[in-house]
Amino acid sequence: MHIDLYERFWMWSAGAICAAFFGTIVYGLVSEGTRPPSHVETIDPTAVWSDPRFAQPGVTANPDGSVTVTAVALMFAFQPNEIRVPAGKPVTFRLTSPDVVHGFEIVGTNANTMVIPGYVAQFTTTFATPGEYLMVCHEYCGLGHHAMMGKLIVEEAL
Amino acid sequence: MTTARRLAAANIGFAVAAFGIAAGMALMQAVSRANLELPWRSPQMYYLSVTAHGVLMALVFTTFFIMGLGVVFTTHALDRPLRWPRLAWASFWVALVGTLAALWAIFWGKATVLYTFYPPMQAHPAFYLGLTLLVVGSWIWSAVIIATYRAWRAEHRETPAPLAVFGMLATIVVWLISTVGVAAEMLLQLIPWSLGWTKTVDPLLARMLFWYFGHPLVYFWLLPAYVVWYTVLPKVSGGKLFSDPLGRMVFALFILLSTPVGFHHQFMDPGISSGWKLLHTFNTLGIIFPSFVTAFTVVASLEIAGRSRGATGWFDWLGKLPWGDPLVSSVLLSMLLFAVGGFGGAINASYGMNSMIHNTAWVQGHFHLTVGSAVALTFMGTAYWLVPKLVRRELELSLLAKVQPYLWFAGMLLFSISNHITGLMGMPRRIYDPSYQGSAIAEAWGGLTGLSALGGLFLFISSAFFLLVMLGTVLAGRPTADTTVAFAEPLEGQPAKRILFDRLGLWIVAAIVLVLIAYAYPLAQHLQMPRFGSPGFRPF
Ligand code: HEM
Ligand SMILES: [Cu+2]
Ligand SMILES: [Cu+2]
């Protein structure tokens, strides 16, 4: 098969670009441990409120200074809808839904996850800048979807 | 040939009608997202409209248009009538009845679940049954195209299939492999559940099956557009196809890589382990390659066209292209928009950056460049070229047809750039109202949502021009006898031998192996863990 010289050059370049993307991902993986977000844990969506893991949504401080936020996303609110966390400390969010699929996003940060009934979403992040953040649902969940919101307050660490 | 011609006209006619309805609804959506007051504006209306727009554009317009195009390309490039003409008509009617059932459910407010229909939000059974019939119709169409090809193959043992046919066959292979996922979701989960035969479904399993289908779906849309870029565009602009074998390589690579990538839509989902998401990420990066190659081949073919029209310098061949021809300008502009969209796609695929933009307005900006422009604008251009041949009338209102692609281009730049930016600023997609009770953070999106609405207005006017040209042509075009559908000659002449890339069977087997690696294990693992089902909800 005959391939034109310029086209050969182009194909090698395209291959190099793909390889560079590849390399970036591998580099992040190896040096920073940046893996795709994931957490595998199931829960009965019809019994969220009586499940010990979610019976008392809120913020718990851990001995090592990090905090865990347990929250329920439901039609059409977050429970709790105001969350206070310290700046500069790892914050682990744990979320689930007792009804349909929801999303969870803290606007202006990379805190972002799907919230799927039957599963527990969990991720850890750190907020550097104190202030008030907007917390929204980013997956269509019914007629009140655009009103499903809350507030995250990042406080100066003591 | 009359069966093929009528059938293609019916498919494309219905596709254009679906496009028209969806475009009308889209204007309302773009305005609503800018928080401008409209008569009858309500959440019910908005979400119903987004459901209808998504289904009509992404599932109905595309599928019917592609079925029409497939019929034309196969019968003309192989120069023989369709095999099984009755069955060919059945494909159209089955798909049509299914579509009407789904639309009935949507417009009666019984299926406001958006075109992704994630359970446990539950629609009326007619919605699921209707969409399933649409897919069944497309399967019958696939069988007819394959049978026509095989009849030709029996008489031409050694000849490579014409590139236009090879591209359509690749499209069909991708479609048959991928629709297994959505068929399983419909038949095993959603239909029995919506009929009340089963009580609960596993929403994550449904999402896995949906996205097994959902990503190759985009190649089902894109590959027929590529066929137009490779085989029609060089011809109409007066050039030759720069490289026929590389075109075959591109289609073969799409067969191979289209499906084992679906988890890149589920980076943010709980319940799927990191390693499998990673594998799908790597496959996704691989699938960028064939599109790069396409860019070169198509641009080189255009250079040939420009030079054969008298260009001699480095870049003046660009200016010599027939920019006033609506097919040429539509396709060229759609390629420019696709280049921007592809750039964003690489960002979406990088899971680190994806967490900034997942489910924000960025995504809506992204796919209006890809399916909404690379595919839809190419199809509009194709309609200007093809519909006159199907109805045997000259293109009417050709001035509007000349302006329309440029208007789409301008509108889409406004619409998509503003949505990319508001997405980066965190504005969610799929929201009726962006005000969030007057939150100062949400207020910052304001000016840009206005620009997006303005872009929507341009797009709407552009769509209206397109529809007027189509209606004008069908109703009032001057009769013509010119029905030749001709494809570009390869620069080096028609290939004489079949090459590695022509061996469809081989590529299909390799694709199935890759799909098994990427999906069989994670699905088996998923089915084995203790899971809990969800009952249905109808919050609309
Ligand atoms: C006529 C010009 C168009 C305009 C003004 C327009 C505008 C919009 C708007 C404002 C949304 C709603 C976004 C949201 O709330 O998240 C949307 C969604 C969508 N559009 Fe378009 N659009 C147009 C053409 C197209 C075309 C040509 C296609 C594809 C062929 C398309 C496919 C979609 C899809 C798949 C959705 C997603 C619906 C969902 O999120 O469920 N649109 N469009
Ligand atoms: Cu929501
Ligand atoms: Cu995808």
Side-chain angles (χ1 to χ4, degrees), chain B residues 19 23 26-27 29-30 33 46 50 53-54 57-58 61-62 114-115 364 367-368 371-372 376 408 415 429-431 456 459-460 463:
Chain B
F19 173 89
L27 177 62
Q29 290 160 207
R33 282 177 69 91
Y46 183 80
V50 176
H53 174 77
M57 284 293 193
F61 162 62
T62 48
L114 305 192
Y115 85 111
Q364 161 196 341
F367 65 67
H368 282 88
V371 64
W408 189 274
F415 180 82
R429 68 188 274 214
R430 299 177 154 177
I431 51 169
L459 290 169
F460 175 75
S463 310

Side-chain angles (χ1 to χ4, degrees), chain A residues 13 15 28 36 42 45-46 57 60 70 72 83 85 98 106 117 124 126 132 134 153-154 156:
Chain A
S13 315
T42 56
T46 58
T60 8
T70 310
V72 177
I83 297 173
V85 297
I106 295 167
T124 303
T126 307
E132 202 179 297
L134 177 63
I153 299 161
V154 178
E156 205 76 65

Side-chain angles (χ1 to χ4, degrees), chain A residues 102 137 139-141 145 148:
Chain A
H102 296 279
C137 170
E139 184 55 271
Y140 170 68
C141 51
H145 167 51
M148 185 166 163

Side-chain angles (χ1 to χ4, degrees), chain B residues 241-252:
Chain B
L241 171 59
F242 184 73
S243 173
D244 176 282
L246 287 181
R248 289 170 202 269
M249 177 188 80
V250 164
F251 289 117

